[in-house]
Amino acid sequence: MESRLHAQVVIVGGGPVGMLMAAELGERGVHTVLLEEQASVCERPKARVLHARALQGLARRGYFTELVPRGASSAAETEVSFRFGGIPGLTITAPASEPGPVLKRPQADLERLFEQRARMTGVRVLREHRVTQVFQDQDGVRVRAQGPVGPVECTARYLVGADGGRSTVRELGGVPARTYRATTSGLSGLVRLEDAGALLPGWHHTPRGWIVAHDIPGAGTHIRTLDCSGAHAGRHLPPTAQELRGELARIAGREIAFGQARWLSRFSDFARLAHSYRWGRILLAGDAAHVHFPVGAQGLSTGVQDALNLGWKLALAVRDLAGEDLLDTYDQERRPAAQRVIDNTLAQLALMRSQPEADALRALFAGLVTADRESRYLSDLISGQDTVLPGCTRQPAGLEGRFLHNVALSTGGVRTDLVGLLRTGNPLLLLFGEGGSRYARRAGEWTDVLRSVHADPVGEIPCHALLVRPDGYVAWASAPGPGPAGRITASDGARLDDVLALYFGRRSSRSRRQPVMTGAGALS
């Protein structure tokens, strides 16, 4: 007999993106069901790098807050070394007031962390459930799955597909996508080297290809090979240990002996980008929406930022606290970011090819990568810190669409910071001085969703008020121009009205909505 479940949102896919999305919705009181095909978290070596912008966004949601320095100046910076297209010397920086430029953490650990948060907020996680059918109409979605005790049907208002590059939701939902054909052949596996000195950790390049190795304590050496001469003819066939052994020897020009081999897989530069991240009541996130050549370790961070962008918007839409237009901004903001990742990985691959002209290109880029310490074009591209969201008001001010780095604040004489104030997961209207108080009155009709905080910045902020989204981006900023501290110009007020109406819908004193509740309680 078929079991029937009803929720406000159904998520398909229990990887880090799906579990984070579930936690984001659960903390905002959204009744959520997550369907995952696997029985448990997979320990297979996968992504293990979170770049700066993803890590900064997670800190604002209460993750890795132990990495946020206390009292550090946002003017100071921390840095780590990285590579661009296999070329060493890239320096990725982040403000010292943030968690750091890079966090290396196995994907399995992140999945467990996000799943624990999701379950604590009441999300129902159903493992060993394989989705077989997806339907949608103007009222909602219907998802059928096969579980360990029989078929299950879930109905909901929205469906989020976070089920990876071979997304069942994308396929069954009929979401079209642009694809880029594979031109390379890669192998990956976890092995036990017979001689640890035969292959040192790091990047190794020969005229025949690339070998990248890193040690996993207690598990072995994770090896990836890359042949840029063409796609593998049988790239859908499972690889073997003998194939990996032969590819290692061919690229290295010598035998590299290993015994046990696990988690063998293929990869390539095949790329895909969905035409839209929103397809009616179906939304895509992570690899279900975008896949790309895995250089620069950008995939996990891109998916995490998808979840942080969509989670609060979907929660508002489900609770009828925002209009449909807000969900459309998810595609408008995140799909261009994924396109930039696809483009920069293709550019990096061009540097990694074995043709003679690639040698000259690598030599040229070696200097550009080193010089990037000043320009930060490449480093911000890789770390996601170059992302500026499109303006949503008629006359966007300079800060709108930009990420607001962690700043120290004083509220009622108590020292705090932006990361701490955003932890509730709600949009935040920061008000500074008498001028800020005037904006608070202007925003009075949106008190059901908006948290207003009167604060004194520890340092200089060039405006009287800022509307900061839960993901850390500035939705609106008052114009800094001349005039009395308490003055609100007509254009400034209209811009604030516009953005509040876009994000939360028009209000009237006769039609109040229920206040948003979060895991931390009601809005103040």
Side-chain angles (χ1 to χ4, degrees):
M1 183 181 228
E2 186 175 73
S3 299
R4 297 181 183 273
L5 300 172
H6 180 71
Q8 291 173 303
V9 176
V10 172
I11 299 172
V12 177
V17 176
M19 287 298 181
L20 177 58
M21 179 70 65
E24 288 292 279
L25 294 174
E27 284 212 334
R28 293 175 170 91
V30 177
H31 182 200
T32 305
V33 171
L34 184 146
L35 304 174
E36 165 55 38
E37 188 169 350
Q38 299 298 317
S40 61
V41 173
C42 178
E43 300 298 333
R44 181 182 201 142
K46 296 181 181 179
R48 63 187 186 101
V49 171
L50 279 173
H51 279 295
R53 185 49 48 85
L55 187 54
Q56 292 158 6
L58 286 171
R60 282 148 179 77
R61 297 298 302 119
Y63 299 97
F64 308 114
T65 53
E66 72 279 4
L67 302 179
V68 179
R70 299 304 171 195
S73 168
S74 59
E77 293 180 328
T78 58
E79 61 182 45
V80 297
S81 297
F82 214 75
R83 288 175 178 259
F84 186 85
I87 299 172
L90 189 67
T91 301
I92 298 181
T93 62
S97 60
E98 297 287 354
V102 169
L103 175 68
K104 293 187 178 181
R105 189 70 58 89
Q107 179 173 312
D109 289 354
L110 296 176
E111 289 181 20
R112 280 187 283 267
L113 175 65
F114 299 151
E115 180 174 0
Q116 180 184 32
R117 174 84 69 91
R119 289 182 182 273
M120 287 175 61
T121 63
V123 172
R124 188 169 183 182
V125 177
L126 300 179
R127 289 189 171 274
E128 296 183 89
H129 282 71
R130 180 177 56 84
V131 171
T132 57
Q133 291 179 304
V134 169
F135 307 94
Q136 71 163 315
D137 57 30
Q138 62 182 4
D139 298 318
V141 296
R142 187 157 45 97
V143 180
R144 285 180 175 164
Q146 186 65 38
V149 295
V152 174
E153 180 177 278
C154 299
T155 57
R157 288 184 61 181
Y158 294 96
L159 166 63
V160 177
D163 49 340
R166 295 182 175 87
S167 172
T168 300
V169 170
R170 187 188 63 248
E171 293 296 327
L172 295 180
V175 184
R178 178 186 179 185
T179 59
Y180 302 72
R181 66 182 181 86
T183 67
T184 65
S185 173
L187 289 174
S188 174
L190 183 65
V191 306
R192 294 276 188 182
L193 295 174
E194 292 185 5
D195 177 7
L199 182 63
L200 298 178
W203 293 59
H204 308 272
H205 178 233
T206 77
R208 296 168 294 281
W210 293 80
I211 300 171
V212 181
H214 77 267
D215 292 334
I216 300 178
T221 301
H222 187 217
I223 292 176
R224 285 163 291 170
T225 66
L226 180 66
D227 177 2
C228 295
S229 64
H232 193 279
R235 68 187 188 95
H236 297 294
L237 299 175
T240 66
Q242 188 58 36
E243 184 181 1
L244 177 60
R245 195 173 282 113
E247 188 71 348
L248 272 175
R250 186 188 68 79
I251 294 175
R254 56 188 170 82
E255 294 292 331
I256 299 176
F258 62 82
Q260 183 185 22
R262 296 187 298 149
W263 308 122
L264 297 172
S265 64
R266 299 186 190 280
F267 67 92
S268 71
D269 58 327
F270 172 83
R272 180 193 294 115
L273 182 63
H275 282 323
S276 177
Y277 283 18
R278 182 185 180 195
W279 199 250
R281 293 186 172 271
I282 297 174
L283 299 119
L284 301 178
D287 288 352
H290 48 78
V291 293
H292 55 82
F293 180 54
V295 66
Q298 301 170 82
L300 176 59
S301 295
T302 306
V304 162
Q305 290 176 81
D306 291 346
L308 295 175
N309 184 292
L310 177 59
W312 64 276
K313 295 175 180 178
L314 187 53
L316 288 174
V318 164
R319 297 175 65 86
D320 296 322
L321 291 164
E324 292 289 308
D325 289 347
L326 181 59
L327 283 183
D328 289 335
T329 67
Y330 169 58
D331 173 77
Q332 296 160 10
E333 293 171 358
R334 291 306 304 158
R335 192 158 55 92
Q339 183 67 67
R340 288 198 304 275
V341 173
I342 290 174
D343 291 344
N344 85 60
T345 55
L346 291 177
Q348 291 186 72
L349 179 59
L351 293 170
M352 299 176 71
R353 296 191 184 276
S354 300
Q355 290 86 348
E357 58 269 23
D359 293 335
L361 193 60
R362 275 193 295 274
L364 174 65
F365 257 81
L368 296 176
V369 166
T370 301
D372 190 71
R373 178 184 286 271
E374 299 299 326
S375 70
R376 301 187 185 181
Y377 178 82
L378 297 177
S379 59
D380 283 356
L381 183 70
I382 294 294
S383 63
Q385 294 181 103
D386 67 332
T387 301
V388 177
L389 304 181
C392 58
T393 61
R394 290 192 293 266
Q395 296 175 316
L399 287 175
E400 291 181 30
R402 297 186 178 276
F403 192 80
L404 183 61
H405 283 298
N406 193 26
V407 291
L409 300 165
S410 175
T411 60
V414 178
R415 291 288 293 266
T416 183
D417 61 10
L418 180 68
V419 167
L421 291 177
L422 284 175
R423 175 61 187 88
T424 61
N426 301 110
L428 177 67
L429 183 61
L430 286 174
L431 307 165
F432 309 118
E434 181 184 350
S437 299
R438 305 262 183 113
Y439 287 106
R441 289 191 288 274
R442 187 97 189 196
E445 292 198 7
W446 285 274
T447 55
D448 51 355
V449 294
L450 187 62
R451 182 185 184 192
S452 298
V453 174
H454 294 263
D456 296 316
V458 181
E460 184 177 349
I461 294 182
C463 55
H464 298 307
L466 283 171
L467 178 60
V468 187
R469 302 168 13 152
D471 55 13
Y473 284 89
V474 176
W476 169 87
S478 64
R487 181 182 178 188
I488 297 178
T489 66
S491 61
D492 234 12
R495 288 173 47 250
L496 178 56
D497 290 346
D498 284 347
V499 74
L500 290 172
L502 169 66
Y503 280 102
F504 316 122
R506 296 287 178 186
R507 295 289 193 269
S508 77
S509 57
R510 293 174 297 175
S511 178
R512 286 290 180 186
R513 320 279 182 103
Q514 291 297 313
V516 174
M517 301 293 290
T518 72
L523 290 179
S524 59

